[in-house]
Amino acid sequence: MKRILGLLVILAAVLLWNSPTLAQPGRAFKLPSSAVKISDNLYDLGRVNGAQGYAILRRDNYARPGGGAAKAPKCYAFMSKGARWKATEAYVTDVESLATETSLETWDSQVAFDLFGTRDLSVAVDGADTVAPDNKNELYFGAIEEPGVIGVTIVWGYFSGPPQTRRLIEWDMILDNADFSWGDATLNPAVMDYQNILTHELGHSAGMADIYDASCSEVTMYGYGTEGETKKRDLAPQDITGIRELYR
Ligand SMILES: [Zn+2]
């Protein structure tokens, strides 16, 4: 009996050791009841001291509506013209993946401005901010209440007024590991590819908007993703044109 118990302890230890570092179950996320729906995938979180918050939902391919959405023939769009980072900020995460830096660099390398700062290891993740910004850019996994939502990126900033006065002040991102399995889809096409989804979501963190026109389905900012997809790990020419225009 003692030996069996010992084996069970070892087995449990091995399982824990092998569990993906991406897993952080139990951290629930839901939009506040005060959030105002602008469209299926965009919610207004309200204003705090003049700063405006938006939550952008990323849905699974299967939730894709049949009809064409808003026209975006250029296949790129901004959350708001001129609303971009004007100071480089660090980010905090408890996701241990080398792909994070790769995705950050995918956008960063296209512009002269230092778009994303380095990871701040001295600060802990304490959750996405849906009511007011807390001056931390956070990236983590959790359980998103709304079904079919792969991830939510929240962006706070100044989106109105003359474009040159607009700016972003915070991004928070939560990826759903309660309903979806994550990993490297080049190794296992059944999983949601972390780098693929992250690169898209970081586009929002940089100020890029979703594209829903079906004729733009190859761009990284196309609003839907699915398991096994890896083509959005890098940027399409339209994504590059867009980010360079925003940070020109
Ligand atoms: Zn999106």
Side-chain angles (χ1 to χ4, degrees):
M1 188 64 193
K2 221 173 190 175
R3 167 173 291 198
I4 292 171
L5 272 177
L7 283 172
L8 281 174
V9 167
I10 290 166
L11 180 66
V14 167
L15 283 174
L16 279 173
W17 183 256
N18 282 334
S19 66
T21 48
L22 299 180
Q24 280 280 345
R27 195 150 44 183
F29 175 85
K30 73 184 276 198
L31 287 169
S33 53
S34 57
V36 177
K37 188 174 183 173
I38 298 171
S39 68
D40 240 14
N41 301 312
L42 183 64
Y43 286 79
D44 183 338
L45 298 173
R47 278 179 189 246
V48 177
N49 298 326
Q52 170 78 47
Y54 289 108
I56 307 148
L57 278 56
R58 182 82 177 280
R59 286 180 199 277
D60 191 74
N61 253 350
Y62 302 113
R64 182 168 55 181
K71 276 271 167 271
K74 287 192 295 189
C75 294
Y76 70 86
F78 309 133
M79 290 188 65
S80 171
K81 188 177 185 234
R84 46 160 282 187
W85 288 92
K86 297 197 170 165
T88 304
E89 288 191 5
Y91 68 97
V92 295
T93 189
D94 48 17
V95 180
E96 300 301 337
S97 169
L98 294 173
T100 306
E101 279 299 323
T102 309
S103 284
L104 289 161
E105 189 58 23
T106 297
W107 289 102
D108 228 334
S109 63
Q110 295 298 335
V111 295
F113 179 75
D114 198 2
L115 189 44
F116 295 112
T118 51
R119 180 181 180 185
D120 185 346
L121 287 159
S122 71
V123 179
V125 168
D126 63 8
D129 299 292
T130 56
V131 176
D134 69 351
N135 299 313
K136 284 187 289 189
N137 305 307
E138 304 178 52
L139 161 63
Y140 63 99
F141 278 91
I144 298 171
E145 189 178 72
E146 184 151 343
V149 175
I150 306 164
V152 177
T153 298
I154 289 163
V155 182
W156 289 91
Y158 299 87
F159 298 97
S160 55
Q164 66 272 19
T165 67
R166 298 174 191 174
R167 64 193 168 94
L168 304 180
I169 60 167
E170 184 171 323
W171 62 269
D172 292 323
M173 190 188 302
I174 173 165
L175 302 173
D176 191 318
N177 66 346
D179 297 330
F180 301 98
S181 298
W182 295 76
D184 181 341
T186 63
L187 304 176
N188 177 6
V191 299
M192 206 57 86
D193 189 76
Y194 174 65
Q195 188 184 336
N196 185 74
I197 301 295
L198 184 63
T199 303
H200 169 98
E201 296 302 323
L202 286 171
H204 296 313
S205 307
M208 302 294 286
D210 275 325
I211 297 295
Y212 288 108
D213 192 309
S215 66
C216 300
S217 64
E218 297 305 301
V219 303
T220 292
M221 291 315 295
Y222 188 63
Y224 300 100
T226 194
E227 284 91 349
E229 182 188 80
T230 57
K231 66 186 178 187
K232 292 167 187 156
R233 284 182 170 192
D234 59 4
L235 303 181
Q238 297 94 327
D239 300 304
I240 294 171
T241 302
I243 197 70
R244 287 181 178 171
E245 188 179 319
L246 187 57
Y247 286 84
R248 185 163 51 197

